[in-house]
Amino acid sequence: MTTLRVLTVDDSRTILAMLHHTLSNAGFEVLQAEDGKQGLDMLKNGEFDVIITDINMPVMDGIEFIRHVRATGQHQSLPILILTTETSRDKRDRGKAAGGTGWIVKPFDPEKLISVIHRVVH
Amino acid sequence: MSDLDDFKATYFDECSELLTELEEQFAAIEAGERDADRLNAVFRAIHSIKGGAGAFGFSALVGFAHAYETLLDYVRDGRIEMSDDVVTLCIRANDIVADHVKAVQSGEALPADYGMDEKARFDALARGDTASEDDEGGEPLDDFDIEFVPVMVNFDAVADGDEAPADDRFDAPPMAVEPGHWEINFKPHQALYARANDPLLLFRELAALGEMSVRAIVSDIPPLSDFEPFAVYCSWEITLIAPALTEAMIREVFEFVDGDCDISVVQLGADMAFDVPEEAPAARVAAEPGFPDLLALADDEVEALLDFALESAPAAEPAIVEEAPALSFAALAETIKPNAPVAVRRAPVEALKPASVPESEDGERRSVGVQSIRVDLDKVDRVVNMVGELVITQSMLTQQMDETLRARYTELVRGLEVLAQTTRGLQDSVMAIRAQPVKSVFSRMPRLVRELAQKTGKKIKLRNHRREHRNRQDGDRAAQRSADPYGAQFGRSWHRDAGPARRAARVKSAR
């Protein structure tokens, strides 16, 4: 079975570390970016099965990042999960309108996180 | 140290940096620099502190940070003006956040009402400007789910003239329903596919809930001449049976596609719930002349049908064909088989990978973004001490070399010279690693001066010259400790430690 590659994009080192720990233990290969721009650079140089991104980030926020990813033809079917503490419908809808596939609300439960990834990945 | 302790250590380090950044940002904001970038940076800092706190269950910190974050969100949206009063409140809020962080780090409990006054002021500010127009800012997601009212529309049943039309079920309260028997009508919109959601994955989730049968409604598929590759022509009727199944469980599967599809979830009546799974699909599809039921076809028949469709279609880019929703028929036919692999979309991903990229290069690429590591100070200090011992030993060896030995052992002398040079280089490198940015030390000074001014009732202006040195890494552990914000220590450390050419600062009393 192929190892799933996950790109995690968050400006919080704590969240990145927790995601890395959780996903690595679940058998995923995890790569990290600290903002949307860095995420786009990594996307140019590698193939991923799913992206998990924060919304509020410096340099390039999550909404803009998702728009750029979707604008790239080859990534139109790449699942993007929005990882955020925002629980308002407004923020969630903005992420979704930009092309987000689903969302995970922080703080995330490890089992729930894995289950959500499997919901959107073949 | 457990994983959780590691995460907490990372979190507290991050908090320290974010609180320092808040100090810097608010020093500038107080000086009148209130642009969007600065306000966004402040918002993100509190947002990150709150996010991490939530992960560790620091509820008091989360509660206060959430209220503060909401205020900052309103400020950056322009709903609340960043007046001097609000700036003062925010600076006070930063202190409270810092106290909360310190409390959870040390394990000490703060009073239950700590920060409640400020929190109440946040709420009052938010209510004052926004209560009438927007109540959704902090609403939990669940509150919105009540907007959706399921409506069952089954035109097929009406057209067929069945004795019990499907839409009559809602008007027949005496009819008993059978718990655990559900019928789902699902029609995706184009947006569902555009966001990388896939009906096949939804069916996989549903199949995990109970016994499922799926019927594809393909009657809307036009002739190939009118076929639009990105249009959505297919919908599905799904029957799901499981004893403890609830509507909420089914709707959770469709959570991400809410709004991107038409969906109805209806619990079947007892008199019509049985016989659905195996026999009904074939019987119903027979009533749709002209369209074969893909589910009823053998594998080779499905493949032949798809081959025909592909051959008949105009030439198209492989990637585009892959994205076309119509191809999901084939995948659907695959997924309804128990334990069948779902690989329809994986293959092109592999195909898109540049063939010329060697594995070693791939490995190198994966290191992008990892530009620093975090190491415990104790470990670094051990290396510093060992290098110090090495320098002393090297010096002693050099001193042992008198003229006689130098003349006699020239190669040894050269070796010692190389050792001395290498040791100096190693010492410089290690000290550079150990050095800490002094930014965090001096970024607290504006705030210290401000508080002194408030306490003494004087106007004080702090001028920090040579700002280009603010990130200079020439501090050490003593410098970190000198950041202790006490006025006397500040005065001494500022004037004693800072050379006039390197950090000239002047505290000037206007009165």
Side-chain angles (χ1 to χ4, degrees):
Chain A
M1 184 176 170
T2 310
T3 302
L4 292 179
R5 295 189 85 205
V6 186
L7 175 61
T8 55
V9 189
D10 200 312
D11 60 330
S12 165
R13 287 198 309 273
T14 309
I15 299 299
L16 281 180
M18 297 181 83
L19 282 172
H20 187 276
H21 177 79
T22 305
L23 298 176
S24 298
N25 282 351
F28 295 90
E29 183 182 349
V30 187
L31 282 87
Q32 301 175 334
E34 294 179 357
D35 58 57
K37 188 171 182 304
Q38 205 175 89
L40 285 180
D41 289 341
M42 296 184 72
L43 209 53
K44 284 177 192 166
N45 297 323
E47 295 287 345
F48 294 91
D49 296 290
V50 61
I51 295 175
I52 300 175
T53 181
D54 190 20
I55 291 289
N56 295 292
M57 291 183 291
V59 186
M60 180 187 288
D61 68 22
I63 302 289
E64 197 179 346
F65 170 61
I66 294 170
R67 284 199 190 107
H68 276 82
V69 174
R70 286 286 178 250
T72 311
Q74 70 186 93
H75 297 310
Q76 284 177 356
S77 60
L78 177 61
I80 303 175
L81 292 170
I82 302 159
L83 181 65
T84 177
T85 56
E86 310 294 351
T87 53
S88 73
R89 192 178 183 111
D90 175 54
K91 296 280 168 54
R92 193 191 69 183
D93 285 353
R94 279 178 57 214
K96 197 174 161 187
T101 307
W103 56 86
I104 301 163
V105 178
K106 291 185 284 188
F108 56 82
D109 172 71
E111 285 184 14
K112 173 80 174 171
L113 173 69
I114 303 300
S115 129
V116 170
I117 290 175
H118 283 301
R119 278 174 69 181
V120 297
V121 176
H122 281 283
Chain B
M1 186 179 274
S2 69
D3 292 328
L4 188 63
D5 290 337
D6 280 341
F7 294 144
K8 281 184 179 175
T10 303
Y11 173 67
F12 291 131
D13 281 351
E14 192 173 12
C15 281
S16 175
E17 292 171 18
L18 292 169
L19 289 167
T20 301
E21 187 185 349
L22 282 170
E23 289 279 354
E24 283 188 336
Q25 296 292 358
F26 271 100
I29 287 171
E30 200 176 25
E33 298 175 26
R34 297 173 189 183
D35 54 278
D37 286 347
R38 210 169 280 286
L39 297 176
N40 282 331
V42 167
F43 175 86
R44 282 196 305 271
I46 293 298
H47 177 76
S48 292
I49 290 173
K50 186 186 90 168
F56 300 116
F58 302 148
S59 54
L61 175 54
V62 170
F64 186 83
H66 180 69
Y68 185 18
E69 180 191 47
T70 303
L71 174 77
L72 292 170
D73 198 21
Y74 285 6
V75 167
R76 68 178 186 160
D77 286 354
R79 285 180 276 183
I80 294 177
E81 184 192 356
M82 186 59 121
S83 64
D84 289 345
D85 286 344
V86 173
V87 172
T88 304
L89 178 62
C90 289
I91 290 170
R92 172 65 187 141
N94 295 341
D95 289 346
I96 294 171
V97 170
D99 289 342
H100 273 294
V101 171
K102 192 176 173 184
V104 291
Q105 189 171 9
S106 63
E108 296 170 3
L110 289 172
D113 60 347
Y114 188 69
M116 286 299 111
D117 291 344
E118 288 76 8
K119 199 174 171 188
R121 289 184 63 192
F122 298 156
D123 294 340
L125 280 166
R127 273 199 310 273
D129 277 359
T130 61
S132 61
E133 61 173 295
D134 180 16
D135 283 331
E136 78 227 80
E139 291 283 352
L141 294 178
D142 292 345
D143 290 355
F144 292 92
D145 291 340
I146 59 172
E147 290 177 3
F148 187 88
V149 179
V151 176
M152 176 68 176
V153 181
N154 189 337
F155 294 105
D156 291 344
V158 175
D160 291 343
D162 289 350
E163 288 182 9
D167 51 353
D168 280 349
R169 289 178 222 159
F170 292 105
D171 300 322
M175 184 172 67
V177 294
E178 181 71 14
H181 290 247
W182 297 86
E183 186 163 306
I184 304 157
N185 280 12
F186 171 55
K187 182 175 176 55
H189 301 166
Q190 201 168 347
L192 182 145
Y193 297 98
R195 290 165 186 150
N197 278 298
D198 191 330
L200 304 175
L201 295 173
L202 299 171
F203 298 159
R204 189 174 69 184
E205 288 289 308
L206 287 174
L209 295 177
E211 186 183 346
M212 180 179 75
S213 70
V214 180
R215 186 168 76 101
I217 309 297
V218 295
S219 55
D220 289 338
I221 298 178
L224 281 178
S225 57
D226 300 331
F227 190 87
E228 294 288 339
F230 289 97
V232 178
Y233 298 114
C234 192
S235 61
W236 288 272
E237 286 181 5
I238 305 149
T239 302
L240 197 56
I241 301 174
L245 196 59
T246 65
E247 182 174 346
M249 292 163 69
I250 296 170
R251 292 215 173 268
E252 190 181 352
V253 171
F254 293 92
E255 183 185 19
F256 292 160
V257 297
D258 186 18
D260 293 340
C261 61
D262 297 327
I263 183 170
S264 65
V265 180
V266 177
Q267 192 165 15
L268 294 182
D271 58 338
M272 51 193 308
F274 299 100
D275 301 331
V276 169
E278 296 299 329
E279 300 174 11
R284 286 188 186 179
V285 172
E288 295 178 11
F291 293 97
D293 177 17
L294 289 176
L295 305 185
L297 293 175
D299 290 355
D300 55 347
E301 290 174 314
V302 172
E303 286 175 12
L305 182 62
L306 289 167
D307 287 344
F308 168 76
L310 291 172
E311 286 169 7
S312 306
E317 294 292 329
I320 294 174
V321 171
E322 174 59 28
E323 294 300 323
L327 272 187
S328 61
F329 296 156
L332 169 63
E334 291 294 318
T335 51
I336 59 172
K337 297 174 189 170
N339 303 320
V342 183
V344 172
R345 291 189 176 220
R346 299 264 320 160
V349 172
E350 294 299 319
L352 287 168
K353 189 180 290 181
S356 60
V357 179
E359 283 303 313
S360 57
E361 199 177 321
D362 190 38
E364 186 179 335
R365 283 171 176 172
R366 289 173 192 180
S367 67
V368 173
V370 182
Q371 295 173 345
S372 65
I373 59 169
R374 302 181 73 80
V375 182
D376 286 345
L377 280 178
D378 289 342
K379 291 179 182 172
V380 177
D381 284 343
R382 278 206 297 276
V383 175
V384 170
N385 290 338
M386 290 170 72
V387 170
E389 294 295 329
L390 180 65
V391 169
I392 292 169
T393 306
Q394 176 266 319
S395 298
M396 289 171 64
L397 280 173
T398 304
Q399 286 173 1
Q400 296 296 318
M401 297 296 289
D402 56 21
E403 289 305 317
T404 309
L405 287 173
R406 283 181 188 280
R408 190 170 175 182
Y409 302 106
T410 53
E411 286 302 313
L412 179 60
V413 170
R414 285 197 192 115
L416 283 173
E417 285 172 355
V418 172
L419 177 63
Q421 193 176 2
T422 307
T423 306
R424 276 197 299 274
L426 179 62
Q427 186 181 25
D428 289 346
S429 299
V430 169
M431 293 312 292
I433 291 172
R434 182 60 186 83
Q436 297 293 312
V438 295
K439 173 181 167 184
S440 61
V441 179
F442 294 100
S443 64
R444 302 180 191 187
M445 296 311 166
R447 183 259 178 84
L448 182 58
V449 170
R450 183 177 61 246
E451 290 182 351
L452 280 173
Q454 287 172 351
K455 284 180 181 173
T456 58
K458 289 188 175 182
K459 286 187 178 177
I460 304 177
K461 185 175 183 182
L462 173 69
R463 294 177 63 186
N464 187 2
H465 298 277
R466 304 290 298 270
R467 288 179 63 85
E468 66 272 20
H469 284 288
R470 64 180 181 162
N471 288 320
R472 190 185 180 101
Q473 295 195 349
D474 56 0
D476 55 11
R477 182 164 280 185
Q480 291 170 359
R481 288 172 181 157
S482 78
D484 201 1
Y486 293 99
Q489 184 169 342
F490 156 65
R492 284 199 303 275
S493 63
W494 187 263
H495 292 295
R496 183 190 61 207
D497 293 346
R502 295 169 64 192
R503 310 182 209 106
R506 185 171 42 179
V507 178
K508 184 178 178 183
S509 172
R511 291 182 182 174

